[in-house]
Each structure stands twice: as C-alpha cells, then as structure tokens.
Amino acid sequence: MPFHYHKRITLIPKLLHVTISRHGWSWSLGGRRAHLTRDSHGRRSAAVRLPGGFSLRRDSRRP
C-alpha cells in the first residue's frame, strides 16, 4: 500500500495557497470559480468553472 503525503498551506485565505508533497510543490491563485496553478516541474494550468456543471481547463508547460 503506497503512502501519499501532501500539506496545503494557506497564505491568503480564499486566494493563495501552497501545496507541498514528496514529489515537489505547487501554488494556486484564485478561488472556487477560477484559479491558476503552477508546480515545481514547470507545469501551469488555468481552470474556470461555469454554471451547469461545465468547466474549462488549459494546461501548458514551460519551454
């Protein structure tokens, strides 16, 4: 049974948090409806939740 570890640290409530895991770190900026995320491996993503259960997500990687 593999063990997983992550710790979420809120820097600014409902706006900015950092997540630390054994594979690296990431930060997220935004709230429930829209947010931007960046991790230690250079991956970036942006997500927007729309009414009716729809969502848009765009992923990209640093060159």
Side-chain angles (χ1 to χ4, degrees), residues 11-57:
L11 301 176
I12 301 172
K14 298 184 180 182
L15 183 65
L16 178 64
H17 70 267
V18 175
T19 303
I20 301 169
S21 71
R22 66 177 214 194
H23 296 291
W25 58 268
S26 67
W27 61 262
S28 291
L29 176 66
R32 298 177 102 190
R33 292 282 181 198
H35 66 272
L36 302 170
T37 303
R38 179 107 185 227
D39 71 7
S40 60
H41 302 290
R43 292 182 292 243
R44 294 177 283 187
S45 68
V48 177
R49 289 186 187 175
L50 303 172
F54 296 101
S55 65
L56 298 172
R57 182 177 174 147

